[in-house]
Amino acid sequence: MPRVALILAFIFAASAAEVRRPRGVSVTKRPLYDETKDFTCLDGSKTMPFDRVNDDYCDCKDGSDEPGTSACPNGNFHCTNAGYRPQNIPSSRVNDGICDCCDTTDEYNSGAVCENTCKELGQKDRENMARQAEVAAEGFRIKQQLMEETKRGKEEKQKKLESLKDAKQAWEDKVHALQQQKETVESPEKEAKERHQASWEELKEARRKEVEKEKAGAAFSKLDENSDGFVSVQELQAHKELDADEDGEVTEVEVQTFLGGAETVDLQGFEESVWEGIKEKLRLEGDVGESPPPPPPAAPEEGAEPFPDLRYDEVDDEPREDVEDDVDDDVDDDVDDEVGDETDEDDAHHVEDDLKERDAQGDKQDTLDDEDRMPAFDPDTQALIDAADRAREDLRIAEKSLREVEDDIRSLEKELGLDLGPNGEFAYMYGKCFDMTTTEYVYKLCPFDRVTQKPKNGGSDTSLGTWGSWVESDGNKYGSMKYEHGMSCWQGPNRSTKVKLSCGKDTVVVSTSEPSRCEYLMEVQTPALCQEMTGDKWADKHTEL
């Protein structure tokens, strides 16, 4: 006969056995009610002849002398309920005309017509307990498998952790070496770039001076109206724009300020001393000196169309967007090519920043004439730049790999450091989530992580708490889970959830409720809570035999 059947047979055979004892007394208290001796109140307050027990008069303060009557307001009547579960009821219910005991023993003198239903109730109870025993047995079998898998998995994870720590050390060493290598190749790269830049600046300065010399020569020729090879005070006085004090007259003193006190100046002196001081003021025919800003547009005449030039072309009256789109697409393509499929978000941002800087430099160069563009790097400098780029990329990849290893180590250490049950039976829950849908919400329990609530018809998640600790329940340290510090309620506390566990073959969220404001209760079945049920443990489910 299977173990479950033997257990049930033992329990119900024992519960059906009737032991002779005073009315309303349980089997365990039978030795205290000995008809051959005087009776002492169970609280020890009084001793009396035994014939005063159940005489319908309350003698003991604790009501223990009247277990079978309603004489004592604080007394208890024991229902034997042979074939079912025994129970205790308040003495006030004895002979009150209502059948409380399924064996009808509480209404022995009331005249009430009661039917003994213990057999039927016992049959249902046996069927229910058989189902419970089957669930417990199957759940415990699954639990043993879970514990064995956890044991193997923990050993594998410990080995993996050690391997990851070795890998971390290796990557740290590699990162350190690559950092030194990068610094080594960046130094000559920087020097080469600086030389290239300095050479380019010198060339630009020489070109600028040459242009200024040409402008100065052209201006000198136009100012030297008598072509005597000199520019005189009188020739400069003809240019009203040189009126320094803006009094409408260009005086000799004002002109001699530009000439350094001289009456005339030759071409060399003009280029070296005079041109720089007058070039922004001087206005000559042709393109010499700095051009004045264009005058503001004249106000339109009354009735005329305002700003007639500022309108769309009559043929194509829609602004073009394709050019901008093409530019954006090109930039996106560059970013995609640079980042690659395996690049993470930080790396993508890094590459995008480089591309933006590169594009800014390119845009700046595009606005220059060909002769104003910085020339390409010479082969030796470009080789140094390429070597530095490779070193930077190698370091970036190594640093990324180091971060990934460190993340894996933290994740494993967190899991291995959790209290997942005395034998790791709750480890299978780690990293999983279990849902329950009600008429309004979808509840999600992610053990050792968080509990959330989301409206069924769409919306954002509401945190009902993050993992806190185990809470003892029904004498079991691992009977409940506490999740705390969820999203705060409106003008209330932060939400929290208690998850009460029970034995089951599968892991299922069977109910959710909110017993108090912002305090939630979940009931979850799990094989991790199933125990091996021996005869003694099943007998404990009965209050009495």
Side-chain angles (χ1 to χ4, degrees), residues 150-169 171 404-416 430:
T150 298
K151 182 179 179 181
R152 291 195 303 268
K154 188 173 183 179
E155 293 173 353
E156 293 173 359
K157 288 170 184 175
Q158 289 286 6
K159 292 179 181 178
K160 183 178 180 181
L161 181 59
E162 294 303 317
S163 175
L164 285 171
K165 289 180 177 180
D166 292 340
K168 177 187 174 184
Q169 183 61 55
W171 280 115
E404 291 174 348
V405 170
E406 289 174 337
D407 289 343
D408 290 342
I409 289 175
R410 281 192 293 270
S411 178
L412 266 180
E413 286 180 337
K414 178 184 177 182
E415 181 178 356
L416 292 172
Y430 185 79

Side-chain angles (χ1 to χ4, degrees), residues 385-402:
I385 294 173
D386 294 341
D389 285 343
R390 287 193 297 271
R392 284 186 285 265
E393 178 65 10
D394 290 343
L395 176 59
R396 185 193 65 79
I397 293 174
E399 288 176 334
K400 178 186 175 184
S401 298
L402 176 59

Side-chain angles (χ1 to χ4, degrees), residues 231-238 251-252 255-256 259 262-264:
V231 172
S232 65
V233 171
Q234 291 76 19
E235 288 172 331
L236 287 178
Q237 280 183 290
T251 66
E252 290 187 17
V255 172
Q256 285 179 340
L259 297 178
E263 291 293 330
T264 61

Side-chain angles (χ1 to χ4, degrees), residues 82-361:
Y84 185 51
R85 299 184 181 188
Q87 68 181 121
N88 291 322
I89 63 173
S91 295
S92 59
R93 297 183 183 179
V94 175
N95 290 322
D96 64 350
I98 300 175
C99 298
D100 296 291
C101 302
C102 68
D103 62 1
T104 74
T105 53
D106 61 315
E107 299 300 320
Y108 60 88
N109 198 30
S110 69
V113 178
C114 299
E115 181 180 355
N116 189 324
T117 59
C118 290
K119 182 178 180 180
E120 290 79 5
L121 292 174
Q123 178 63 30
K124 292 180 180 179
D125 196 46
R126 283 190 292 274
E127 293 172 356
N128 182 51
M129 289 189 69
R131 287 192 295 270
Q132 291 184 29
E134 181 182 353
V135 169
E138 178 62 15
F140 183 71
R141 184 188 67 79
I142 296 173
K143 176 182 177 179
Q144 288 179 307
Q145 293 179 346
L146 293 173
M147 290 189 296
E148 187 62 32
E149 291 173 2
T150 298
K151 182 179 179 181
R152 291 195 303 268
K154 188 173 183 179
E155 293 173 353
E156 293 173 359
K157 288 170 184 175
Q158 289 286 6
K159 292 179 181 178
K160 183 178 180 181
L161 181 59
E162 294 303 317
S163 175
L164 285 171
K165 289 180 177 180
D166 292 340
K168 177 187 174 184
Q169 183 61 55
W171 280 115
E172 286 177 339
D173 294 342
K174 186 169 184 178
V175 166
H176 179 70
L178 290 173
Q179 283 175 335
Q180 292 181 324
Q181 180 180 340
K182 181 178 80 75
E183 293 171 1
T184 299
V185 297
E186 280 182 337
S187 179
E189 176 204 34
K190 180 181 178 182
E191 294 174 358
K193 281 185 173 181
E194 289 175 348
R195 287 195 301 270
H196 184 85
Q197 182 69 29
S199 176
W200 170 234
E201 295 296 336
E202 291 176 1
L203 179 59
K204 286 197 298 182
E205 180 62 18
R207 288 178 178 175
R208 187 190 69 79
K209 289 181 178 179
E210 184 66 27
V211 170
E212 287 299 319
K213 185 175 181 179
E214 292 177 358
K215 289 182 178 180
F220 183 86
S221 297
K222 291 184 179 181
L223 291 171
D224 183 14
E225 294 180 357
N226 59 8
S227 301
D228 63 351
F230 294 93
V231 172
S232 65
V233 171
Q234 291 76 19
E235 288 172 331
L236 287 178
Q237 280 183 290
H239 292 270
K240 301 299 183 182
E241 65 269 22
L242 299 180
D243 181 11
D245 57 10
E246 298 181 353
D247 61 355
E249 182 181 1
V250 183
T251 66
E252 290 187 17
V253 174
E254 288 175 325
V255 172
Q256 285 179 340
T257 300
F258 297 118
L259 297 178
E263 291 293 330
T264 61
V265 64
D266 62 8
L267 176 59
Q268 182 177 354
F270 183 84
E271 292 173 349
E272 293 176 354
S273 305
V274 179
W275 172 244
E276 190 66 28
I278 69 171
K279 66 179 183 180
E280 294 184 1
K281 299 179 176 63
L282 191 64
R283 300 289 174 256
L284 297 173
E285 292 182 6
D287 189 18
V288 178
E290 298 293 332
S291 299
E301 297 180 3
E302 185 175 355
E305 180 182 355
F307 306 108
D309 294 335
L310 302 179
R311 61 180 184 270
Y312 291 122
D313 191 286
E314 295 180 357
V315 177
D316 184 5
D317 60 355
E318 291 295 327
R320 292 195 62 203
E321 298 179 355
D322 56 334
V323 174
E324 182 178 352
D325 292 339
D326 292 343
V327 174
D328 291 340
D329 292 341
D330 292 341
V331 173
D332 291 340
D333 292 341
D334 290 342
V335 173
D336 291 340
D337 294 341
E338 191 78 28
V339 174
D341 294 338
E342 300 298 326
T343 308
D344 60 15
E345 185 175 353
D346 290 340
D347 297 328
H349 289 165
H350 172 75
V351 173
E352 285 182 10
D353 291 341
D354 288 347
L355 289 176
K356 287 178 181 177
E357 182 178 356
R358 190 181 305 170
D359 290 341
Q361 294 282 354

